[in-house]
Amino acid sequence: MRLEKSGPNVVLLSLTLVALAAWLGLDTVSVAANRIVPGTGYRVDEVIGAGGALATALPWLALAGFAWRPARRHLLLALVLVVLMLSALPAWLALSAVTLVDAPQARLGIGAGIWGVLFLLLLALIELRTRLVLSRLLGWALLLPPLASAALCLARWLEPLALWQEYRGRSGQFLGAVGEHLLLVGVAVGASLVLGVGLALAMRRWPGVQKAGFGMLNFLQTIPSIALFGLLLAPLAWLSANVDWLSALGVSGIGWAPALLALVGYSLLPMVRNTFVALEAVNPGVIDAARGMGMSRGQVFRQVRLPLALPVILEGIRITTVQAIGLTAVAALIGAGGLGTFIFQGLGQAAMDLVLLGALPILLLALLVDALLGALTDILRPGGAE
Amino acid sequence: MIDLIHVTKRFGDAVAVDDISLSVARGELCVLVGTSGCGKSTTLRMINRLIEHSEGEIHIDDQQIRAFREETLRRRMGYAIQSTGLFPHWTVARNIGLVPRLLKWPKAKVQARVEELMALLGLAMEAFAGKYPHQLSGGQAQRVGVARALAADPDILLMDEPFGALDPITRQSLQDELRELQSRLHKTIVFVTHDMDEALRLADHLVVMHQGRIVQQGRPLALLREPADGFVESLLGGEDRGLKEAALLPVSQRMLPLGPRLLARERIGQHASLREALSVMLWRHAERLTVVDDDDLPVGELSLRRLVGVRSDE
């Protein structure tokens, strides 16, 4: 509290200083003659000269100044500055592309400096949003100017950007992969939700099931994902060879079937655990009152226990979904498709930008789902906390 | 109205309630009092079948409680508990309307009943109807709990330490409100508490329980004057019994008509208890008090000799 009143905002100040160091000290972009050869890195001063580099330090110093005296007015100015700087990052890439890239096959890579600054600026944005107590929606709206700037730069100047080149080579494939990824995650989470809630209910009724169930799910969780895909290969191959309708359905040792089974297996533990704990943790006094008032068992469950448990159950769905989005990337190894395909192709071809083309959307999807389900949980908590 | 006939409850080998018999007459407030684990809550919960009794019979209006469906039985009885058991995800109005809705009353009737009850318990409709339980103070929440128990206008009210978690001042004002409410509504109430002062203040019929048995039952004054054994005596406060008894008797019972003497300077209301009168005498170093009515007009006088002397009702 003391810091907030008079002293500097330490979080924002340190973020700013570290980001400034990353900006000036690390390579912001790299240029490679073609797709395979490693690129040459360029620091800020190597792109626009030492004087220009010093000039780019000015907004950072202003930001540090606002952090030093964090009155509300200063924090608002800092917020505007952070949004502007985020919007300037694509412009910096555009400037580098125009000045550094001359040959048509040459490619522009995004350097560690830009990634670092992007990450630190987003953290600063979160810090400012919290300090200024802005709504969730407004927080998201603040990302619109940087996104618009990125879209504009991509359309006009960023032809040589390696990531963009990789995407352009696979634009059809890319949308398909996103679709496959989401389908796998959706079906796996949906199936584990149905199974998980069923299992949690069975565990509440029969304590024996509870012990055995949690034991098995915990064990399942300890198997490394690649090993689990391997273990499923033989039995599924046998099944598809011997059961006609399964092979007609497209089940085989590799592909979507083992991927889905493994994903459901991994998703069950967080789903069951959250559902079970949520249902058990409802205040016994409330349940006692509900029964004492003459509610039937079904009414107690539907009108009291389930609604009170819902925020925690949703929390389980959120964790499970984020986890499944990450795990599905590995499923590409056994031919299940999805964004993981690009990651493994890129690793195989030593093309890091192709890896990024797979990894970045996975990251964005996870963040998006996290935010959406988090907002839903807030909405479903009526009248605030208990 | 409520009859327990040789009722026993066993949990495995442990006997929680041991062969008790108890009758609660219509319109009577019966308080079960005793130390923790004496079986008083179990007894209460057997009446609405939250716990099934092992032996004996429990009757409501001369019908065995097992003749009813559990839910039907419970909807006929109001139920209020210590932590209030209000549903945290429902507004105050929705909480109060619970049993009427379970009984499928028409919407308008439920709404009217909720408004009526909130007025009865001094909860302003516009201020409280839309609030959630966590926005209420302990006393307000407990009022909502009582309103919810009264919602379907049941003849019987079961209350399990409803004021247990409240601070002493709120607790006493709610006790007064309950007495006042009862003098108008005449419900048949079974009330469980471990607080003897609360029990003495509220009870028409006082039942002392110990280790699953009823040790003594009767009118509070009768128990105070003739405790059955050492346990009841100590529960009733031992040497403090005199003060507890004085707290139950109004000044008007002991006062004398105004005599020819000068009025005493210190005054006491005629509805105050003898205990309060004694306290005033001690505090003011006075031997005589002038008893006044609600308009502060003298109606009699009370002397220390008279206060501690011969009992007027014997």
Side-chain angles (χ1 to χ4, degrees), chain A residues 34-58:
Chain A
N34 55 53
R35 183 166 178 246
I36 309 300
V37 297
T40 327
Y42 289 89
R43 285 201 313 275
V44 176
D45 54 305
E46 289 163 336
V47 182
I48 54 172
L54 279 182
T56 60
L58 287 179

Side-chain angles (χ1 to χ4, degrees), chain A residues 122-326:
Chain A
L122 287 175
L123 285 183
L125 194 64
I126 292 171
E127 164 72 11
L128 285 168
R129 209 204 73 172
T130 319
R131 291 284 162 198
L132 291 167
V133 202
L134 302 180
S135 74
R136 201 185 274 274
L137 201 64
L138 189 57
W140 285 107
L142 287 175
L143 291 179
L144 288 180
L147 287 177
S149 155
L152 178 71
C153 292
L154 271 180
R156 296 284 313 266
W157 300 289
L158 285 178
E159 191 71 16
L161 186 70
L163 198 58
W164 185 241
Q165 291 282 343
E166 297 290 354
Y167 169 73
R168 296 243 305 206
R170 299 174 176 74
S171 54
Q173 219 186 331
F174 181 81
L175 278 184
V178 172
E180 280 167 4
H181 208 96
L182 286 179
L183 188 67
L184 266 177
V185 169
V187 173
V189 170
S192 67
L193 179 64
V194 173
L195 281 174
V197 170
L199 204 54
L201 291 180
M203 284 174 170
R204 279 175 39 77
R205 176 153 298 192
W206 300 288
V209 178
Q210 182 192 336
K211 234 178 160 178
F214 273 128
M216 205 186 78
L217 292 177
N218 274 317
F219 171 70
L220 212 60
Q221 205 77 6
T222 61
I223 307 176
S225 48
I226 294 183
L228 188 56
F229 290 135
L231 287 175
L232 286 169
L233 207 127
L236 280 175
W238 184 85
L239 273 179
S240 89
N242 291 282
V243 184
D244 287 341
W245 63 270
L246 279 180
S247 59
L249 215 61
V251 172
S252 68
I254 58 168
W256 61 266
L260 203 56
L261 275 180
L263 282 175
V264 170
Y266 284 123
S267 301
L268 270 178
L269 181 67
M271 200 70 97
V272 172
R273 195 167 44 200
N274 270 275
T275 309
F276 182 79
V277 169
L279 290 173
E280 285 293 293
V282 174
N283 176 358
V286 171
I287 301 298
D288 183 62
R291 292 187 56 217
M293 293 278 147
M295 290 178 116
S296 67
R297 269 176 198 288
Q299 283 168 330
V300 172
F301 187 82
R302 283 193 310 275
Q303 295 186 31
V304 183
R305 200 185 279 281
L306 192 60
L308 286 178
L310 206 55
V312 185
I313 296 178
L314 273 175
E315 190 67 18
I317 298 179
R318 190 168 70 96
I319 296 169
T320 310
T321 312
V322 170
Q323 180 191 282
I325 288 175

Side-chain angles (χ1 to χ4, degrees), chain A residues 81-124:
Chain A
L81 199 53
V82 167
V83 172
L84 284 178
M85 287 161 90
L86 277 172
S87 314
L89 287 181
W92 175 258
L93 291 177
L95 178 70
S96 308
V98 173
T99 42
L100 299 176
V101 180
D102 33 21
Q105 311 92 326
R107 288 167 169 238
L108 183 76
I110 302 173
I114 294 277
W115 289 124
V117 166
L118 176 65
F119 178 66
L120 292 165
L121 279 178
L122 287 175
L123 285 183

Side-chain angles (χ1 to χ4, degrees), chain B:
Chain B
M1 183 78 200
I2 306 177
D3 295 286
L4 279 70
I5 306 158
H6 295 294
V7 172
T8 295
K9 174 64 195 177
R10 287 194 195 82
F11 293 106
D13 288 336
V15 181
V17 172
D18 190 5
D19 189 26
I20 64 169
S21 295
L22 173 67
S23 276
V24 185
R26 182 180 295 276
E28 197 173 57
L29 202 165
C30 169
V31 177
L32 307 180
V33 69
T35 48
S36 309
C38 69
K40 54 190 192 297
S41 270
T42 308
T43 305
L44 181 93
R45 292 161 68 85
M46 285 193 293
I47 298 174
N48 66 0
R49 292 183 65 189
L50 282 174
I51 297 177
E52 292 288 345
H53 55 280
S54 313
E55 278 165 37
E57 286 177 14
I58 301 178
H59 293 217
I60 302 290
D61 287 338
D62 299 318
Q63 276 187 288
Q64 279 229 42
I65 55 171
R66 284 185 182 157
F68 302 95
R69 270 184 65 222
E70 281 175 48
E71 285 88 32
T72 318
L73 179 79
R74 290 178 193 148
R75 287 170 196 175
R76 283 185 51 177
M77 302 179 182
Y79 183 55
I81 61 175
Q82 174 166 10
S83 54
T84 75
L86 293 179
F87 300 163
H89 58 308
W90 287 7
T91 60
V92 164
R94 195 160 172 214
N95 263 291
I96 295 177
L98 168 62
V99 182
R101 278 199 311 277
L102 289 176
L103 293 170
K104 304 209 163 34
W105 289 14
K107 263 207 173 95
K109 194 178 165 195
V110 175
Q111 176 66 19
R113 180 62 181 161
V114 168
E115 283 173 24
E116 185 184 346
L117 279 164
M118 288 185 66
L120 187 70
L121 282 142
L123 297 159
M125 188 71 192
E126 57 282 5
F128 288 104
K131 281 204 168 147
Y132 286 92
H134 76 273
Q135 296 168 307
L136 305 175
S137 71
Q140 288 161 353
Q142 202 48 261
R143 280 198 186 90
V144 176
V146 173
R148 184 172 68 169
L150 288 169
D153 203 12
D155 295 330
I156 298 172
L157 216 51
L158 304 179
M159 309 182 90
D160 194 350
E161 303 217 24
F163 309 143
L166 302 176
D167 64 86
I169 294 173
T170 312
R171 171 185 266 234
Q172 189 163 350
S173 74
L174 275 170
Q175 287 163 358
D176 292 342
E177 276 179 46
L178 180 63
R179 273 259 62 124
E180 207 272 323
L181 218 56
Q182 171 67 351
S183 70
R184 280 191 279 164
L185 302 177
H186 304 291
K187 302 288 179 192
T188 306
I189 302 178
V190 181
F191 189 106
V192 163
T193 181
H194 63 263
D195 176 352
M196 186 51 89
D197 286 318
E198 181 168 82
L200 288 170
R201 191 171 293 139
L202 292 176
D204 298 316
H205 187 81
L206 185 60
V207 178
V208 178
M209 292 187 68
H210 186 47
Q211 293 177 344
R213 293 173 164 276
I214 293 178
V215 197
Q216 193 176 10
Q217 54 178 312
R219 304 194 66 77
L221 274 177
L223 262 70
L224 273 169
R225 285 171 192 165
E226 286 169 38
D229 58 19
F231 174 76
V232 179
E233 191 180 327
S234 71
L235 203 65
L236 285 164
E239 298 294 325
D240 275 348
R241 273 189 295 153
L243 288 174
K244 291 204 195 298
E245 182 188 346
L248 294 182
L249 298 172
V251 164
S252 52
Q253 264 196 27
R254 293 275 173 91
M255 71 178 186
L256 286 177
L258 285 170
R261 289 202 287 173
L262 277 177
L263 290 180
R265 223 165 56 146
E266 308 301 339
R267 300 172 160 222
I268 184 101
Q270 61 181 345
H271 301 299
S273 69
L274 289 180
R275 182 180 168 135
E276 286 166 279
L278 183 62
S279 177
V280 172
M281 287 177 178
L282 284 168
W283 187 245
R284 300 285 183 184
H285 309 292
E287 270 187 278
R288 280 195 311 140
L289 299 177
T290 299
V291 180
V292 295
D293 64 11
D294 295 339
D295 300 323
D296 211 26
L297 295 173
V299 290
E301 69 165 21
L302 181 69
S303 66
L304 184 59
R305 276 175 56 89
R306 186 70 192 162
L307 193 157
V308 301
V310 188
R311 285 174 179 135
S312 58
D313 54 340
E314 277 179 0

